[in-house]
Amino acid sequence: MATEVLVPTLGESITEATLGEWLKQPGDAVAADEPIASLETDKVSVEVPSPVAGVMGAHAVSVGDTVQVGAMIATVDAGGSAPAQAAAPQPAVTEAARDEAPAPAAGGYGNHGATPVDSDAPAALSPSVRRAVLEHGVDPATIKGTGKDGRITKEDVAAAASSKPATAPAAAPAPAPQTPSVAASTGRKEERVRMTRLRQTIAKRLKDAQNTAAMLTTFNDVDMTAVIEARAKYKDLFEKKHGVRLGFMGFFVKAACMALKDIPSVNASIEGDEIVYHDYVDVSVAVSAPNGLVVPVIRDAQDLTVAGIEKTIGDFGKRAKDGTLKMDEMKGGTFTISNGGVFGSLMSTPIINPPQSAVLGLHRIEDRPVVRDGQVVVKPMMYLALSYDHRLIDGREAVTFLVALKNAIEDPTRILIDL
């Protein structure tokens, strides 16, 4: 008996999504609640589980199609079993499927649903990994994944490409449908890749922020000597006690919470003709995910210890990479901190995340000459950037916020005694 697979509820105000990839192909054995497809929403990727155990039926939609909440996307034959010969000829079927033109568009290479039968079968490929496979011309069936549940990551693809024999590129034209157009005379290439729903949403929200808010950015710099010394002195004990590394973000989140309490307008937002002040601090932290930047929220950050903050951020970073962040974890937020320094950024003018009214940009730490007590000395310095909505936050308040943050970081004892 065929059971319909429906698009699940995706979250408040989200009514549609894009089918990112099929994790199961028709004829694959599936277990109850086993993911069979991945949907891309405005914020995160959501896996669609099978409602019953059985055999994967027909796909009702294709990769890249927009689907509505509650719509049928496939069927599962409940209680059925996969063909007995499926396990033995698996490699031949995989190769044949890879040679067919529609294969890449159907959501990946080979039969990803064979994992329960053959532990060496490749795990499902995310869109970013599929692009990397096409760019490097490698066979995903030969790559051992190091990601969650054995999934292949972009790093795995790059490593496989670097170890590939020099003659391998000659065999790369297999995925013909995705090959970019080539000018034969010059060898110049172009590639057109459809924007993911997440990237489209990021683009729209950032442009809306520029069009709506009266954005202005104020800069300051901070001497990181005291924090670096504290981290070097206590990092081993900290990790032993709390099971997480002591980074810089814990200090900055705590310092920001203190400064936001003193300058509440930086933690406020505009709704219509009203200003909404918050007596709590929900800090959105920008982290990298395979499909773009996401901003999960640290709830009630003002009540957390440095250890609690570091644990939360570490968990967010890991699950963003795995694509397992939940929709509710991306909602809300009263203030954002974006650390471009981890990528080497010296200075930037970050864009606010509406309806928030401010975002703090952190940058790389580098030794620079500064004057202390009339002497030129070398100190580890970092530039801070606060972008804010000038409709709500005056320049005096923005500068006062940055100075309070700077004082707390340069003298971390202030964080302990709430000064």
Side-chain angles (χ1 to χ4, degrees), residues 294-318:
V294 293
V295 277
V297 179
I298 304 175
R299 309 287 179 188
D300 294 313
Q302 77 283 352
D303 296 331
L304 296 178
T305 63
V306 171
I309 293 169
E310 292 290 357
K311 288 179 181 179
T312 303
I313 294 175
D315 177 60
F316 283 158
K318 180 179 183 301

Side-chain angles (χ1 to χ4, degrees), residues 269-291:
S269 60
I270 296 177
E271 291 186 8
D273 57 357
E274 296 180 333
I275 300 174
V276 180
Y277 292 96
H278 310 284
D279 65 353
Y280 54 88
V281 180
D282 286 351
V283 180
S284 302
V285 287
V287 297
S288 290
N291 293 331

Side-chain angles (χ1 to χ4, degrees), residues 101-112:
Y109 293 82
N111 188 350
H112 306 312

